[in-house]
Amino acid sequence: MTPAVPSRRHAIAAELRVQISTGNLKAGERLPSETQLATHYKVSTPTLRNALALLQAEGLIEKVHGKGNFIRPPLRRITYAGGGRTPFDPALQVSIRTTNLRARGHLRALLRVSSNSPLTEFLCITHEGKSPHSLARIYVPRDLAPTAQLGPTPWLQGVEPTSAEIRETVIARLPTPEEATTLRISSTLAVLAITSVATNATGRVVEAAFLVLPGDRADAVFTTHTTTKEREAER
């Protein structure tokens, strides 16, 4: 079977990727204009933009409106461990904004509460310097919300000790305009969107969380612990 010939956009992206990885193109350096690059590679401007979009999705370059395309500095990768509220990394800071609101729509259904039940929302953004790394919106019934001022505390690193079950749904999608603005990412960069619902031993939902992790700097890790009976059944 004859091997597939890479498309022009993939070939251009591959060549630029090598130049970035070898240091020929350095962090912070501005690429030639799209017109100049299209002329150099003898392709149309749309084809050239498609090639650059591949590198943008990998986090290798970023397009600054009105200024051009720039080589991005290496991004710190973050790891989300299943069951956590936000990716935890001691090198990252966490900013938190608290808002009181009433349960409506999908929140009412997820938390299994009546309409207009009082909730507390925690908007958590992890960042390194001025660079945002993840976004989380956490919703807790008002009577369960911590009363102390929150900061980067253990409360953010895992669900409430009273949680008996955590159900998580993970999808890959494009960011909403609000998410792209908050995380300062391209609207074409895929994100991991995680919906986490925690219930206690009585079956009450104690927390619902929505996490958004940019695909160019995040890994999601889920660990399964089998019981003795399950191990015996596998033999």
Side-chain angles (χ1 to χ4, degrees), residues 9 13 17 49-63 69 72 75 77 174-175 185-191 213-218:
R9 65 171 181 148
R17 193 181 294 113
R49 287 175 177 166
N50 286 336
L52 296 180
L54 295 174
L55 300 178
Q56 290 169 3
E58 295 171 20
L60 296 177
I61 66 173
E62 62 179 338
K63 186 171 185 176
N69 294 285
R72 294 185 69 168
L75 295 173
R77 294 198 69 82
L174 294 178
I185 58 176
S186 167
S187 59
T188 63
L189 175 64
V191 298
L213 312 176
D216 64 351
R217 70 201 71 171

Side-chain angles (χ1 to χ4, degrees), residues 196-208:
S196 175
V197 178
T199 58
N200 63 16
T202 67
R204 181 185 181 185
V205 177
V206 296
E207 175 182 292

Side-chain angles (χ1 to χ4, degrees), residues 158-191:
V159 296
E160 289 292 327
T162 55
S163 298
E165 178 182 281
I166 306 162
R167 181 178 295 273
E168 295 180 297
T169 304
V170 183
I171 63 172
R173 60 169 173 79
L174 294 178
T176 65
E178 180 186 8
E179 291 166 351
T181 298
T182 300
L183 293 170
R184 300 179 191 171
I185 58 176
S186 167
S187 59
T188 63
L189 175 64
V191 298

Side-chain angles (χ1 to χ4, degrees), residues 2 45 50 53 59 62 68 71 80 82 84 89 126 135 137 152 164 169 173 176 186 203:
T2 303
T45 301
N50 286 336
E62 62 179 338
I71 308 302
Y80 171 77
D89 186 324
T126 63
L135 166 68
R137 294 183 182 275
T169 304
R173 60 169 173 79
T176 65
S186 167

